[in-house]
Amino acid sequence: MTGTTFRAYRVFEVDGTFVRKLVKRSVSELPEGEVLIRVKYAGLNYKDALSASGNRGVTRNYPHTPGIDAAGIVEDSSSPLFNPGDEVAVTSYDLGMNTDGAFAEYIRVPANWIVPLPKGLTLAESMVLGTSGLTAALSVKRLLDAGQKPSQGPVVVTGAAGGVGSLAVKILLKEGFEVIAATSNLDDSREVIEKLGAHLHIDKSETDDQSGRPLIRPKWAGAVDVVGGNTLATLLKACKYGGNVTTCGNIGSGELNTTVYPFILNNISLLGVDSQKTPLEERKAVWEKLAGAWKPDGLDDLATFISLDELETYIQRLLNKKNRGQVVLEL
């Protein structure tokens, strides 16, 4: 296998400028790891676009191959946990960040990064879900573990036309919640939200309160937030008594300016969600839920499938916040 060549989407730093192109690589150039995987599908995430743009907070050293989500078939393994022919998925850890990632026909990774493909999911479906699906499922799990119940009232999901948001809407509907989908633009996202089946569609004016008041009229009983900043602050101060708000992203801002009043007067809980370092056993359990009771209906309808040759176009669209739903690279 060491002489095998393959195509990869590679990012180079040239005189301080980052250049992206498709190249031929050899398996021998891949990093160390117990398991060599022939990638069949890869998810496209915002973190991938940042890595492709030279963001040092994501990727320190270049040249580099982005791609934090991969699904494929084991080609070679020195680990007793996996055998050639096994169908597997890898999401997050260091894949695509500082370890060459999934925008290539082969990856090599440590065995403890790998989840066997759960029964009930195809390789393609696992990448429609990917890190976005894992994060959405972990967000819903945090709400449920904190005691959130459908009888309390609706749950609002921000960024509901994007990857994490759209899948969170689907999973919450599976759990019987009334769901409010919040997006930055009603017209751009109307078709996507209609397909998701959310009960109500609102725009950012509802989730971006500018009044300066520490509390406002309650509008929802809980929330899943991917935006951060003033949106997260608004979700907290407009949440009904005893509600829970999860936070897993900062596409709007990493800052949070709020008061203690939502917490000490309305008994609100703010719950952090991380998918990158989720322990393997919890990760496996959540994937089993995604393959079973939480498997969204019509997964293929939530994704756009693209080739390596189209990847540059979709990375640009993601950077410009023009993507809707999931984008999956088919290799």
Side-chain angles (χ1 to χ4, degrees), residues 189-227:
S189 53
R190 180 171 286 110
E191 184 177 352
V192 172
I193 300 305
E194 287 176 355
K195 285 183 179 179
L196 291 177
H199 296 82
L200 181 64
H201 185 192
I202 62 175
D203 74 6
K204 62 183 179 182
S205 64
E206 298 282 337
T207 57
D208 188 22
D209 177 66
Q210 299 292 329
S211 70
R213 296 195 297 270
L215 293 171
I216 58 176
R217 179 180 61 82
K219 298 180 179 181
W220 36 74
V224 172
D225 181 50
V226 304
V227 179

Side-chain angles (χ1 to χ4, degrees), residues 241-322:
Y241 187 91
N244 301 281
V245 176
T246 69
T247 176
C248 65
N250 60 348
I251 60 173
S253 172
E255 300 292 326
L256 177 58
N257 296 308
T258 187
T259 70
V260 299
Y261 296 113
F263 309 109
I264 66 173
L265 295 182
N266 283 346
N267 197 31
I268 305 303
S269 295
L270 177 59
L271 309 171
V273 176
D274 164 70
S275 60
Q276 184 183 350
K277 294 181 284 188
T278 300
L280 188 60
E281 289 309 308
E282 182 179 1
R283 189 179 293 253
K284 287 180 178 178
V286 172
W287 272 110
E288 290 295 333
K289 291 281 283 185
L290 285 169
W294 285 359
K295 183 177 180 180
D297 299 323
L299 266 180
D300 287 347
D301 292 335
L302 298 179
T304 300
F305 288 83
I306 65 170
S307 68
L308 263 177
D309 296 304
E310 298 172 287
L311 184 56
E312 175 64 25
T313 297
Y314 279 85
I315 284 177
Q316 290 292 346
R317 289 183 61 175
L318 189 55
L319 288 170
N320 294 328
K321 299 181 180 180
K322 295 296 184 182

Side-chain angles (χ1 to χ4, degrees), residues 39-282:
V39 179
K40 294 295 187 181
Y41 298 92
L44 175 60
N45 299 275
Y46 187 61
K47 191 175 286 185
D48 301 320
L50 293 177
S51 175
S53 303
N55 186 300
R56 299 290 186 184
V58 177
T59 301
R60 292 187 298 272
N61 299 308
Y62 294 83
H64 176 67
T65 303
I68 65 172
D69 290 345
I73 299 171
V74 173
E75 289 275 334
D76 189 41
S77 173
S78 61
S79 167
L81 298 174
F82 298 99
N83 297 302
D86 288 349
E87 293 187 319
V88 295
V90 184
T91 58
S92 55
Y93 290 108
D94 193 50
L95 183 70
M97 296 178 64
N98 295 292
T99 300
D100 282 337
F103 296 165
E105 293 169 333
Y106 284 91
I107 58 172
R108 185 157 48 210
V109 297
N112 60 5
W113 290 6
I114 303 172
V115 173
L117 186 73
K119 291 181 180 178
L121 284 181
T122 66
L123 289 172
E125 288 174 335
S126 75
M127 288 296 97
V128 177
L129 294 167
T131 290
S132 294
L134 179 63
T135 304
L138 287 168
S139 299
V140 175
K141 181 177 183 294
R142 294 271 349 233
L143 288 179
L144 296 175
D145 289 349
Q148 193 80 31
K149 295 179 174 59
S151 59
Q152 291 174 256
V155 172
V156 62
V157 179
T158 62
V164 175
S166 62
L167 293 166
V169 169
K170 285 286 202 179
I171 296 168
L172 285 164
L173 291 171
K174 289 277 187 181
E175 283 290 327
F177 284 91
E178 180 184 348
V179 182
I180 302 170
T183 63
S184 60
N185 186 296
L186 290 180
D187 291 334
D188 281 357
S189 53
R190 180 171 286 110
E191 184 177 352
V192 172
I193 300 305
E194 287 176 355
K195 285 183 179 179
L196 291 177
H199 296 82
L200 181 64
H201 185 192
I202 62 175
D203 74 6
K204 62 183 179 182
S205 64
E206 298 282 337
T207 57
D208 188 22
D209 177 66
Q210 299 292 329
S211 70
R213 296 195 297 270
L215 293 171
I216 58 176
R217 179 180 61 82
K219 298 180 179 181
W220 36 74
V224 172
D225 181 50
V226 304
V227 179
N230 193 58
T231 295
L232 179 55
T234 302
L235 297 180
L236 292 167
K237 62 185 179 180
C239 193
K240 293 181 180 179
Y241 187 91
N244 301 281
V245 176
T246 69
T247 176
C248 65
N250 60 348
I251 60 173
S253 172
E255 300 292 326
L256 177 58
N257 296 308
T258 187
T259 70
V260 299
Y261 296 113
F263 309 109
I264 66 173
L265 295 182
N266 283 346
N267 197 31
I268 305 303
S269 295
L270 177 59
L271 309 171
V273 176
D274 164 70
S275 60
Q276 184 183 350
K277 294 181 284 188
T278 300
L280 188 60
E281 289 309 308
E282 182 179 1

